[in-house]
């Protein structure tokens, strides 16, 4: 799986199973590695271009403020798709999708009721109204070079993974550039084609440093905190991790892409 995206109100994990073109729902009854301790609950979707069909979904997030709707980056249908958490379409009065060339990252700004969608090929972040899906703004065109993931913190600061610039670009809630951190390399605080990003409950920025086969944590100002992992197949090792998320206990979950597993860590890296 490419994407791990957090729980909804019923405690179900949402994952984008991009090779099989369906969404899987997993219930995790206790802390553990998803895949070993998870109970399969259900799935929805099949390959196609209809409202409830998918073609290589790459990103997903939950809209906690409205009936646990899902926003899905349906990559090769070139759209941001909106579905209910049971996989059905919203009511006929709701818009169900907007077009996007290559949607690779999505998150919701709950306070502002906005959806942020990263278009990897257009190198832009588009901002939509959560309810109408009307385009509100775009930003990042002058800075970004094939961005991938996106996350927001409690103050609605926006963190965009700028994959081919090997850094994290930070914007305020209006999309105005603030600063960036990271350079290309393998040292502490450096990146090699990073992919996923999330913010933990301490405000740390957690980044899937894909090409360096590790996870890195940073303070909100970009100061390096710690790195987790190295290349390999053993526990705490990774092969091109693509995505990260945290749960309510501040545990970090990592989509260990080419090891075909999800790994769990405490926020201190253990």
């Amino acid at each position: 799986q490419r994407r791990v995206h957090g729980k909804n109100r019923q405690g179900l994990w949402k994952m984008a199973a991009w090779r099989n073109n369906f969404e899987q729902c997993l219930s995790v009854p206790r802390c553990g590695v998803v895949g070993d301790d998870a109970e399969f609950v259900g799935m929805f979707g099949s390959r196609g271009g209809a409202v409830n069909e998918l073609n290589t979904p790459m990103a997903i997030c939950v809209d906690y403020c409205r009936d646990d709707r899902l926003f899905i980056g349906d990559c090769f249908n070139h759209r941001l798709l909106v579905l209910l958490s049971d996989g059905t379409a919203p009511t006929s009065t709701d818009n169900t999708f907007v077009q996007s060339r290559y949607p690779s990252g999505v998150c919701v700004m709950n306070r502002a009721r906005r959806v942020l969608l990263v278009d990897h090929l257009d190198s832009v972040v588009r901002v939509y109204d959560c309810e109408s899906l009307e385009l509100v703004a775009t930003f990042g065109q002058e800075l970004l070079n094939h961005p991938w993931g996106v996350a927001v913190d409690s103050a609605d600061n926006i963190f965009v993974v700028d994959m081919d610039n090997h850094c994290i670009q930070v914007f305020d809630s209006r999309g105005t550039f603030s600063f960036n951190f990271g350079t290309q390399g393998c040292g502490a605080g450096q990146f090699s084609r990073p992919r996923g990003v999330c913010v933990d409950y301490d405000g740390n920025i957690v980044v899937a440093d894909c090409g360096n086969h590790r996870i890195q944590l940073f303070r909100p100002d970009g100061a390096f905190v710690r790195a987790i992992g190295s290349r390999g197949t053993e526990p705490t090792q990774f092969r091109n991790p693509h995505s990260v998320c945290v749960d309510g206990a501040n545990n970090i979950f990592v989509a260990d892409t080419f090891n075909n597993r999800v790994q769990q860590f405490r926020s201190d890296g253990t």
Side-chain angles (χ1 to χ4, degrees):
Q1 280 84 8
R2 282 277 180 128
R3 297 280 178 187
V4 184
H5 305 278
K7 295 178 182 177
N8 66 10
R9 291 192 184 101
Q10 289 73 43
L12 300 182
W13 289 93
K14 298 292 182 179
M15 308 182 73
W18 64 277
R19 284 180 177 161
N20 293 323
N21 298 295
F22 56 76
E23 302 294 337
Q24 293 188 356
C25 303
L26 299 172
S27 173
V28 185
R30 60 185 184 273
C31 290
V33 178
V34 175
D36 292 336
D37 296 332
E39 176 190 352
F40 178 73
V41 174
M43 65 183 180
F44 60 83
S46 59
R47 188 179 186 91
V51 169
N52 60 348
E53 294 179 328
L54 302 165
N55 189 352
T56 316
M58 291 294 240
I60 186 173
C61 70
V62 178
D63 181 6
Y64 293 102
C65 292
R66 187 180 170 195
D67 298 326
D68 283 356
R69 289 186 310 171
L70 304 177
F71 294 96
I72 301 168
D74 188 10
C75 186
F76 292 143
N77 280 325
H78 310 288
R79 63 186 180 181
L80 171 66
L81 180 64
V82 184
L83 294 176
L84 301 181
S85 59
D86 61 1
T88 60
T91 65
S92 58
T93 58
D94 291 336
N95 291 327
T96 56
F97 72 91
V98 292
Q99 292 183 333
S100 177
R101 188 178 175 201
Y102 194 112
S104 62
V106 61
C107 72
V108 174
M109 301 172 69
N110 284 315
R111 292 194 304 174
R113 301 303 296 140
R114 298 287 187 260
V115 184
L116 304 176
L117 181 68
V118 175
D119 192 305
H120 177 69
L121 292 182
D122 286 343
S123 293
V124 68
V125 180
R126 297 188 177 98
V127 185
Y128 298 93
D129 181 87
C130 271
E131 309 306 326
S132 67
L133 291 187
E134 291 182 4
L135 181 65
V136 175
T138 63
F139 64 88
Q141 300 94 313
E142 303 84 3
L143 292 172
L144 300 172
N145 185 8
H146 295 120
W148 195 268
V150 61
V152 296
D153 66 12
S154 59
D156 279 349
N157 295 304
I158 302 165
F159 301 87
V160 181
V161 179
D162 196 354
M163 189 179 77
D164 283 346
N165 281 328
H166 309 278
C167 70
I168 306 300
Q169 306 281 5
V170 185
F171 303 85
D172 68 16
S173 60
R174 297 165 296 179
T176 302
F177 174 74
S178 297
F179 64 97
N180 60 32
F181 59 90
T183 57
Q184 185 174 11
C186 58
Q190 295 184 310
F191 298 111
S192 176
R193 306 198 84 207
R195 296 293 182 99
V197 63
C198 69
V199 181
D200 73 13
Y201 283 87
D202 296 322
N204 295 313
I205 316 307
V206 185
V207 182
D209 186 8
C210 182
N212 284 324
H213 311 283
R214 64 185 179 183
I215 304 304
Q216 296 198 72
L217 279 73
F218 300 84
R219 295 190 180 94
D221 62 0
F224 173 77
V225 176
R226 69 176 61 87
I228 303 171
S230 60
R231 181 182 177 90
T233 59
E234 297 299 316
T236 75
Q237 293 185 318
F238 304 105
R239 291 178 61 211
N240 301 105
H242 273 62
S243 191
V244 288
C245 74
V246 297
D247 67 9
N250 218 25
N251 296 303
I252 300 169
F253 292 81
V254 183
D256 187 6
T257 304
F258 293 118
N259 280 328
N260 301 299
R261 64 189 180 186
V262 175
Q263 296 197 61
Q264 176 190 339
F265 299 86
R266 298 183 182 92
S267 57
D268 62 3
T270 59

